[in-house]
Amino acid sequence: MAFQELWQLRAAFAIELSDMYGQEVPAYNTLVDVSTDVNRDYMERIGAEAERLGSIQRVTAERHGAIRVGSPQEMSQVARVYAAFGMYPVGFYDLRDASASSVPVVSTAFRPIEADELAKNPFRVFTSMLASDDPRFFSPDQQRRLQDFINARELFPAELLTLADKAAEQGGLDDPEAVQLLELATRAFKLSDDPVDHAWYKELEDVSAVAADIGGVTSTHINHLTPRVLDIDDLYERMEALGITMIDEVQGPPAWDGPDVLLRQTSFRALDEERIFKFEDGTIGPGELRVRFGEVEQRGIALTPKGRELYDQMLAETDRRLNENGGIRTDVARQVWAENLPDTEHGLAREDLAFFTYRVAEDASSETLAQLPEHVTLVYLIDNGIVIAEPIVYEDFLPRSAAGIFQSNLTSEGSRDDALQGTDYDIDVMSEIVGRPVADPHDLYRKQQDESLAVVSAQLDRAIDSIVANPTT
Ligand code: OOG
Ligand code: NI
């Protein structure tokens, strides 16, 4: 009776979900096949450098999922399920104001937190909760009916939650229970064939297609499962060549000559899926819904808060130029990037714009080391080749891209009354809902960087003064 550790359960969970989703949405299998080809060809073209942001094994197996739930109670339950797979909440995303369309959700992402856990299996799930109490979207009467509908359903059976708690407590499960946990957890995310109440679904859809997808049906389901590629522009072209309609643009940073940072994403449009409806006249029969799509992503280096601020400024500057002069977003963005962002990892590191782990260079001569000044700065160590910087990959999401992904697949804009005051949600409220602290992604990256620097500091027998570059030194 083999004991399955959390990471083994997580890896198995990702595979089971992927198999199930591939059966439900066959175009996903095409996306995975094309992604695998893109990665293989990129490796052949670029060689070992291609693996700078993750081994080809990790990247090819890597997925993120998206799940949507309806209430704080459902959010706290899904968090218990994820904990059984060693996945914990990181980051707070408020999508209610992030786009012009009506997207009444607040979100966090559940993922492994430690570097070694990420290396074993990095599966993560972007998880959104319907803000059914936000009066900008729902009238008081609708809020009540929506909450009643959601409170009456059960997404996660008691047996699943009990097994999940046990796995989290023990750091894993023995075999018969491990299999049972995986089966129940996977089934909880399967598309249901329960008839959809047509009138209710349509009423919610008038407010927001996302609200209907969450609160108009009796279960939850995977909205998408996203493979990771090493060259998203290549993937985009190959998918279009196969006749699959992609959204207009790749979201996030443009393709450019410098290092990839943060996250670039794109998707193919949601496809019609047959669902069973209960119609207004009482008849039951098939109809079509269009909510699930295929997304793909390319990951880059994690930015520090300073780098992130620069990123946000560059986005704003891109918007400003587009408004003023028109043009193609990616071309304008590429220009803005070339003007503002250092185009080497070295430049990003010495200006503290991105996160790295550092180690003492093997070829740093004993002479150089003997001559180290009493006070060293990180910039000194970087510039003199005394330390080697390895990029830390961005493991999180971008609110504007997420909103863009939601938006690009909505059938209508929906409605939001901006004259009313929205309900307050933030990372602390989300922590209370989830039942454990939601980590700030920057703290996690910073800790990884600081730990590596502590080792460097001990080896060099020097305090490392500041990691922020001083342009005058
Ligand atoms: C989640 C959309 C956000 C991403 O990759 O940014 C997302 C959803 O559609 O439920 O998955
Ligand atoms: Ni996604």
Side-chain angles (χ1 to χ4, degrees), residues 177-210:
E177 285 185 333
V179 171
Q180 181 68 355
L181 169 79
L182 283 164
E183 196 189 309
L184 290 171
T186 307
R187 198 189 302 156
F189 297 129
K190 186 172 163 45
L191 195 66
S192 152
D193 44 22
D194 262 9
V196 178
D197 183 326
H198 190 260
W200 175 232
Y201 195 95
K202 290 292 153 190
E203 178 184 343
L204 291 176
E205 207 175 28
D206 283 344
V207 177
S208 154
V210 178

Side-chain angles (χ1 to χ4, degrees), residues 64-66 126 223-226 265 293 295-297 397 402 405:
H64 86 246
F126 191 92
N223 177 273
H224 57 266
L225 259 190
T226 300
Q265 298 177 304
F293 50 86
E295 183 189 50
V296 64
E297 68 190 16
F397 294 87
I405 296 281

Side-chain angles (χ1 to χ4, degrees), residues 64-68 93 95 103 105 107 125-128 210 213-214 221-224 226 263 265 291 293 295-297 299 396-407 409:
H64 86 246
I67 299 285
R68 305 159 175 185
Y93 307 88
L95 299 178
V103 180
V105 302
S107 316
V125 184
F126 191 92
T127 305
S128 302
V210 178
D213 182 45
I214 301 173
H221 48 253
I222 303 177
N223 177 273
H224 57 266
T226 300
L263 177 65
Q265 298 177 304
V291 285
F293 50 86
E295 183 189 50
V296 64
E297 68 190 16
R299 291 191 170 265
D396 295 285
F397 294 87
L398 295 172
R400 178 156 151 167
S401 302
I405 296 281
F406 268 112
Q407 187 169 16
N409 279 288

Side-chain angles (χ1 to χ4, degrees), residues 345-361:
E345 285 183 11
H346 182 98
L348 292 172
R350 74 189 306 287
E351 291 186 40
D352 189 33
L353 292 168
F355 287 114
F356 296 84
T357 55
Y358 294 94
R359 61 186 160 79
V360 177

Side-chain angles (χ1 to χ4, degrees), residues 127-143:
T127 305
S128 302
M129 184 193 87
L130 186 67
S132 67
D133 60 354
D134 192 323
R136 292 175 300 172
F137 303 96
F138 308 104
S139 70
D141 173 54
Q142 264 174 341
Q143 290 180 35

